[in-house]
Amino acid sequence: MNRLVAIVFLLAITVPGVLLISGHSPPTSDAPTDEVVVSPTMADVLDATWFDSVDAMVERRIPMLDVAVAVDSRVSRTVFADSPNPEVTIGAEGWLFDNESLDRACLSGQYFAAIGDEMRRADAVAAAAGIEFLYWVAPDKAAVVSDELSGGRSACTKANVAALDEHLTSAAVSLLPAFADHADPDTLFYRTDTHWNDSGGLVASRQIIERLAPGLWDEHAVVYGSRSYDTDLSRLISDAKTEVVTAASVVFDGIPLISVDGSSADPMGDMSRSVRSFEFPDGPAIEGQTVVAYDSFGLPQVDDLAPYFASSTFVYTPHFDEDEAAAVVGSADRLLWGRVQRKFIGGDLELPVSSWLVEAFVDRLDPVRIDSAELTRIEMDPSIEIYLVVRDLRSDGDHVFPPSGTIFDDKSRVHALRVRGDLEFGFDPDHFEVERVDIPVQES
Amino acid sequence: MVFTSPTFLFLFLPAVLLGSFVIPSRWRNGWLLLSSLIFYFWGSGVLVLLLVVSTITDFSLGRVVARASEQGNERRKRAAISGSVLVNLGLLGYFKYANFLVEQLNSVGRDLGIGEIAWTSVTLPIGISFYTFQTMSYTLDLARGRATPLDRIVDFGLYVSFFPQLVAGPIVRYHEISEQIVERRVAMDGFSAGAGRFMVGLSKKVIVADQVAVIADRAFAVDAVALTSTDAWLGILAYTIQIYFDFSGYSDMAIGLGQMFGFTFPENFRRPYSAVSITDFWRRWHITLSNWFRDYLFIPLGGSRVEPRRVYANLMAVFVITGLWHGANWTFVVWGLFHGVLLLAERVLDQRWVEGDAPSFVPIRRAGTFFLVVIGWVFFRATDIGHAFSYLRAMFGGVRAEQAADPLLTVGNTPLVVLALALLTLGVSGRWVTGPRAVEMLERGAPPLRVASALALVTAFSYALILVISGTFSPFLYFQF
């Protein structure tokens, strides 16, 4: 018996390697991974990362990878009634949840007050730059749909988004009531995807337009159809599904929405396009240049919102770094900024938003030159928090350092923006042109 | 490279096995040495040079020791032994403890306002605690006349760096393997037993240890003051299972690989959680480390033949050093002290506990020992002493559920089911669950039992490979020690 087992062992360790070496690997595109693997060559053998490259290549190109993932998935689901992927929680009746969206603790009011303070600073920067600023928090699926998840696993997600809603500033468009009051909230999210679907996006878009121009939203302009959508969470548990849901978009006078460069408005069809500009003078036309900075939750909203603006640019920020996004946003008369709940509460919100807005609108803030005595006074004033906009004279690019402070050592131009908080660092004004803008922040 | 990586399993191991069977026996050690150096270089790069330095030093000093012994030159012999100990402990001290020492000095310096030592952090070479102990055992065994020196540095290099036990043991004392290095026979039976043992080890590591690790990692990642008592207990029980299945699984794989190449490595575990006393526990847990300290530290200090007070002091010293051997952190020192104090208490209270054969109260003593071992693991796993004590407070108090962080919120069913099943195995007879016994059953059990064992082993191994390929495994715990 021992020998039979040994033969199984030898076959099990030999066959995959032989197949790999002889080129019998699954095509990269079929491998259930999200990275393209470049096979290392012997020419790079002296490179310190060569061995890592070999490991990565073997891990991703090993024959039967797709079979192993499928079997692992099946065993987890059928034997353990569990998710095979630690990033995904399986709920009742086929609902899947992204674990990142399930909050592990119900957070304190102090935590949300800090987020509120940051949004107040952002409001102040936008006001100083003379732009209209609105933002919204897209509630996570676990905070909305009726599946309560066993063990109260969605309780803190619900509690946290409600607490957050109470601490946001007047620039926030509160979406929670509309979702909570919806007759059938389960229809607003994909069952096996992280995101809300077109119907959920439509609820949010309606609230946003109503807030910008009360009474402007036209229910008759909404055109319904159907959409097939390959869902993300189902793929993560190796049980790929395509959901067919109601598609919704806003169409005025039968005129389809076409971007300035002639491409389709449907961002779901081409997610690689990070910036889309629209001109729609014949619609209800909210005037001015509107920039909408959105994340993946905003994808289905593009064709709901764009027809309401005379001129609009939609920036899909996950594809952008902060500098690039700031450059696009800088020309806006109106900035609409949407993020999913977990990005606010999970700690990786693109915060401080205020410093990002400083970078975007620095040329509109009209800073004034100050001398070292004035700088010293600012530094000593505990009520002033400083943002540094450091202009690299060689590249002429701006870099914003948030209030936590960053050491810099190049000749640069500095704006000191009065916000609030503690001054944490100093710098020598002899080597910089120092300017400041005094931005009062509304007390909470 | 780790045993659970696809590169090792599907490329490296088949290639080394093939080579060792087709290469003439006189070159076989050279082939295995070359393979072992590649194995180490793969994960550690130029740090392989330390291994080479340690090897060359002890090979040379071993010759000096042997010659001095022949000539009766005690002074020269002691000098050579001192050289070996200094070089190896010097390497270990610098690469493993220098960061910790500087950190402590800087902490004192800051408190006293006398500044800090400028210091660039030293990278810890993988397995240095294991291979330095092996190289020292060579010169020490030669000095004691327990073995004869090797003539070829290739043979000695293989003893030090043989890949199955290079990075996480078992720590093989030279006299245990000296003859096998020079001459050994690879038989089909040995190979088959080794393959079975490796399959058992891989399954323990991948199916059990890595699954329950999720629970332990999450429980120890949050601030312990926000843990409920239930979560804290689940976390430490998961770690208790994880560290045993991880480390003993690795040892099974190492021993199995050794058998495949014709070596017989010493056992490292003997159902440690069945121990009826702490003394008994240390006869069952990391046996090769205990044996090393017994032979090369405790006995030279006088062993049990000196007056009781001296024995107690020696035991405490051995346990503090054992703790520190596991890592440069006060938590390991406290863990060692904890076990040392318990062991002394047993010796003082009742000698029968030490022997582990007191006839009565076995289930209670087993449960009590297990409880104390679990408490000890809190210090072993915590990030610092403060964390350990706040975790213990959580275990015996904890916050109410509505005030708590919920680190196990999304942990899923699998780790909890595996943890429950693994805990159940602690109550099962040793002949069913220990690595060597399980493999023996394939050959010597009743026919239906043999078939059932083979099917269970093949099924577990197949599932382990599926998990390896699909990428749900973690690095071995003991690599950090």
Side-chain angles (χ1 to χ4, degrees), chain A residues 257-326:
Chain A
L257 186 63
I258 300 294
S259 69
V260 168
D261 68 3
S263 63
S264 159
D266 184 2
M268 313 291 268
D270 182 8
M271 288 174 64
S272 64
R273 294 177 58 80
S274 300
V275 179
R276 291 155 182 273
S277 294
F278 302 96
E279 290 186 355
F280 213 74
D282 298 330
I286 297 173
E287 294 298 333
Q289 172 63 27
T290 301
V291 172
V292 182
Y294 64 102
D295 61 12
S296 57
F297 270 70
L299 285 168
Q301 290 184 277
V302 174
D303 51 6
D304 301 339
L305 294 174
Y308 283 95
F309 301 108
S311 176
S312 59
T313 299
F314 285 73
V315 186
Y316 182 52
T317 50
H319 286 176
F320 266 29
D321 66 24
E322 281 190 6
D323 292 347
E324 289 175 309

Side-chain angles (χ1 to χ4, degrees), chain B residues 378-392:
Chain B
V378 174
F379 291 97
F380 201 87
R381 178 62 175 78
T383 49
D384 53 52
I385 299 290
H387 182 210
F389 280 109
S390 65
Y391 197 93
L392 285 169

Side-chain angles (χ1 to χ4, degrees), chain A residues 26-62:
Chain A
T28 305
S29 57
D30 287 351
T33 61
D34 54 3
E35 289 178 33
V36 175
V37 178
V38 178
S39 299
T41 62
M42 289 307 289
D44 301 324
V45 73
L46 292 179
D47 190 319
T49 62
W50 188 82
F51 296 107
D52 292 339
S53 304
V54 173
D55 283 337
M57 189 270 291
V58 174
E59 283 167 18
R60 296 182 188 287
R61 303 284 292 140
I62 194 78

Side-chain angles (χ1 to χ4, degrees), chain B residues 261-381:
Chain B
F261 292 104
F263 289 93
T264 304
F265 291 153
E267 291 297 331
N268 220 9
F269 292 90
R270 199 163 53 85
R271 281 181 62 77
Y273 295 149
S274 298
V276 293
S277 67
I278 293 297
T279 310
D280 190 25
F281 174 78
W282 279 101
R283 288 177 180 147
R284 295 161 173 270
W285 178 272
H286 205 170
I287 297 166
T288 58
L289 180 68
S290 303
N291 288 346
W292 197 98
F293 275 122
R294 184 197 62 207
D295 282 6
Y296 304 121
L297 184 62
F298 182 66
I299 289 174
L301 285 173
S304 299
R305 293 179 185 169
V306 289
E307 63 178 72
R309 232 183 270 176
R310 178 90 184 275
V311 173
Y312 300 156
N314 290 344
L315 276 173
M316 285 307 292
V318 167
F319 271 89
V320 168
I321 292 170
T322 300
L324 207 51
W325 179 88
H326 283 84
N329 194 327
W330 290 114
T331 51
F332 295 115
V333 175
V334 172
W335 176 74
L337 272 171
F338 176 77
H339 276 271
V341 167
L342 290 172
L343 199 122
L344 286 194
E346 287 175 356
R347 280 191 171 238
V348 172
L349 287 173
D350 187 345
Q351 189 64 26
R352 289 184 310 164
W353 287 59
V354 179
E355 299 307 323
D357 57 4
S360 56
F361 306 120
V362 167
I364 295 171
R365 290 169 57 197
R366 214 169 248 171
T369 303
F370 181 70
F371 173 79
L372 291 171
V373 168
V374 170
I375 298 297
W377 289 139
V378 174
F379 291 97
F380 201 87
R381 178 62 175 78

